Amino acid sequence: DQQVKQNSPSLSVQEGRISILNCDYTNSMFDYFLWYKKYPAEGPTFLISISSIKDKNEDGRFTVFLNKSAKHLSLHIVPSQPGDSAVYFCAAIEPRSGSARQLTFGSGTQLTVLP
Amino acid sequence: GAVVSQHPSWVICKSGTSVKIECRSLDFQATTMFWYRQFPKQSLMLMATSNEGSKATYEQGVEKDKFLINHASLTLSTLTVTSAHPEDSSFYICSATSPGSNQPQHFGDGTRLSIL
């Protein structure tokens, strides 16, 4: 059973417009959420994160929103640029004592920004 | 620049060959490294958690004897795919992080393994 879901496998947006990528989760124990960007044949690159005690975090063109009651988060990119075209993964972390905590990934959304 | 180096980036070999993939943290000590596997158009699936100086913890369904993990130093973890078969062909990615931290894990660029 997937604990982190990205229901849209792909999204196309015009350059300059807003891109909104969505992510839902089922595990209420998750307390930290991250977004990664991935180009083909490369490892994921960290974009932005949010703690479960917040509902918004902003970094430049990227803003992540968290709705805990709905178990939903979204990544907003504005304005979108052609270089933003990549696969975006949502990931979540569950509290665990001891060593570094492992990520649970969604299946990813391919964003294409059209010039 | 890259903080996690993964090598090789691409391997093509015959069925029955064993393949070793290296994951190095370049400018920090990684007590924990993670190994993921990704099938085309699917999510990154955690295979195992590798802790320096101790045995790796494997996720359910991952064969320990098939995917040997060694984390002998604070900067190096290796994944060996033993007696690889075509169904082992996949994209393998490692990541490294510091213990007890929310810091985003740093990922290697991945290794594409193709078994003929």
Side-chain angles (χ1 to χ4, degrees), chain B residues 8-110:
Chain B
S9 57
W10 202 333
V11 180
I12 302 174
C13 58
K14 293 182 179 180
S15 183
T17 306
S18 291
V19 179
K20 180 186 282 188
I21 303 170
E22 293 186 349
C23 181
R24 295 181 184 271
S25 57
L26 298 181
D27 55 6
F28 66 100
Q29 294 184 331
T31 54
T32 302
M33 291 185 175
F34 300 93
W35 287 95
Y36 296 85
R37 181 175 181 177
Q38 185 186 23
F39 292 103
K41 297 185 180 180
Q42 293 189 27
S43 178
L44 292 162
M45 299 300 297
L46 180 66
M47 297 174 65
T49 303
S50 167
N51 294 300
E52 187 267 336
S54 64
K55 290 185 179 180
T57 303
Y58 290 82
E59 295 301 301
Q60 192 173 9
V62 178
E63 298 176 58
K64 300 178 183 181
D65 296 331
K66 177 74 171 176
F67 299 100
L68 300 178
I69 291 173
N70 183 280
H71 193 159
S73 79
L74 286 170
T75 59
L76 174 64
S77 175
T78 61
L79 168 67
T80 301
V81 183
T82 61
S83 188
H85 289 95
E87 59 266 28
D88 298 324
S89 298
S90 190
F91 193 58
Y92 294 88
I93 304 178
C94 71
S95 71
T97 191
S98 300
S101 173
N102 279 334
Q103 293 176 6
Q105 295 177 12
H106 302 286
F107 288 84
D109 281 344

Side-chain angles (χ1 to χ4, degrees), chain A residues 2-7 21-25 30 32-37 47-48 50 64-66 71-75 87-93 103-109, chain B residues 43-44:
Chain A
Q2 266 193 304
Q3 297 188 65
V4 178
K5 300 179 184 179
Q6 292 176 256
N7 292 317
L21 298 115
N22 294 303
C23 178
D24 297 292
Y25 61 96
F30 288 140
Y32 200 76
F33 303 88
L34 309 94
W35 283 94
Y36 287 85
K37 177 180 179 179
L47 267 180
I48 193 169
I50 189 167
V64 56
F65 294 93
L66 175 62
K71 293 192 178 67
H72 177 85
L73 64 155
S74 61
L75 174 68
V87 177
Y88 289 78
F89 287 98
C90 166
I93 296 179
L103 295 168
T104 300
F105 283 90
S107 54
T109 297
Chain B
S43 178
L44 292 162

